[in-house]
Amino acid sequence: MSTIKQAGILLCLGLALLSASDASALKAEKRAKVRKQIEKVRTWEMTRDLELSEGQARSLFPVRDQYRTEEREFKEERKRIEEELDSLVTLRQDPASEKEILHRLERLKLLDRQKSTRRVEYQQKLGRILDTRQQARYELFEKKFDRRLRKMIQDVRKESVRKPHRISQDSLRNRKPADSKDRKKPSKTIRKNEKKKKKSSDESTRRKSRGS
């Protein structure tokens, strides 16, 4: 089984676990565990796709992990500022709220400049670790990996939906017919009515025979 397929299965299992009625702390723990497994697979796939040497891998991944951590922090900070802005713009217009809005807007601009600067510094570090072709493969890798992972997740989910259906169909095909001993016998009333109908039919037949 390929590492990308393992990642898809792990993520689907993780999502299934997270949808269960667990405590929030337990959900967070499972979510972190699934993320960790996916990141391991991402590292394996990147090492293979970029054809990294052992020395390159030792240099690249700590730098990459630090950059990804900072990216998450930038994202969380931006989200927090945007939420503050959303609260401020719903208030009635007054000088105090206008100043607060301007302050948050400036913080967003500063955050975006810092993020852009950090991106340039990161690319410079990559240039000192990777050759030109590896840098190009690195730029393409994340989208390719995410696309393959999404497809794998979809395939695993489709397979999990089909399996219960196949089991149900097999159980219907393998069901044994009811034994003759188990079949319900007709009631006394039904048997009595059938005898009357048969007797009436016999008498009618005899009358016709006499008339002829």
Side-chain angles (χ1 to χ4, degrees), residues 67-82:
Y67 176 72
R68 286 172 67 85
T69 300
E70 291 173 353
E71 282 282 287
R72 284 194 296 271
E73 290 172 354
F74 278 128
K75 186 176 180 180
E76 289 169 3
E77 178 65 10
R78 196 176 216 296
K79 182 182 177 182
R80 190 174 66 81
I81 297 171
E82 287 173 349

Side-chain angles (χ1 to χ4, degrees), residues 139-154:
E139 290 296 326
L140 300 171
F141 172 79
E142 294 293 346
K143 287 184 180 179
K144 284 184 177 180
F145 179 84
D146 290 340
R147 190 162 54 244
R148 295 199 309 249
L149 185 60
R150 280 196 298 271
K151 185 179 184 305
M152 195 64 252
I153 291 168
Q154 290 171 359

Side-chain angles (χ1 to χ4, degrees), residues 141-196:
F141 172 79
E142 294 293 346
K143 287 184 180 179
K144 284 184 177 180
F145 179 84
D146 290 340
R147 190 162 54 244
R148 295 199 309 249
L149 185 60
R150 280 196 298 271
K151 185 179 184 305
M152 195 64 252
I153 291 168
Q154 290 171 359
D155 292 343
V156 172
R157 282 177 171 168
K158 286 178 183 177
E159 185 66 20
S160 65
V161 169
R162 282 199 298 265
K163 278 183 178 178
H165 178 70
R166 286 204 298 268
I167 292 171
S168 177
Q169 292 296 325
D170 291 342
S171 64
L172 287 173
R173 283 196 297 270
N174 296 331
R175 184 180 293 174
K176 293 181 180 180
D179 190 82
S180 58
K181 293 180 180 179
D182 298 330
R183 289 174 188 160
K184 191 175 180 180
K185 295 180 180 180
S187 65
K188 292 181 178 180
T189 305
I190 293 174
R191 290 200 302 271
K192 188 174 181 181
N193 289 338
E194 286 177 350
K195 285 181 180 179
K196 285 182 179 180

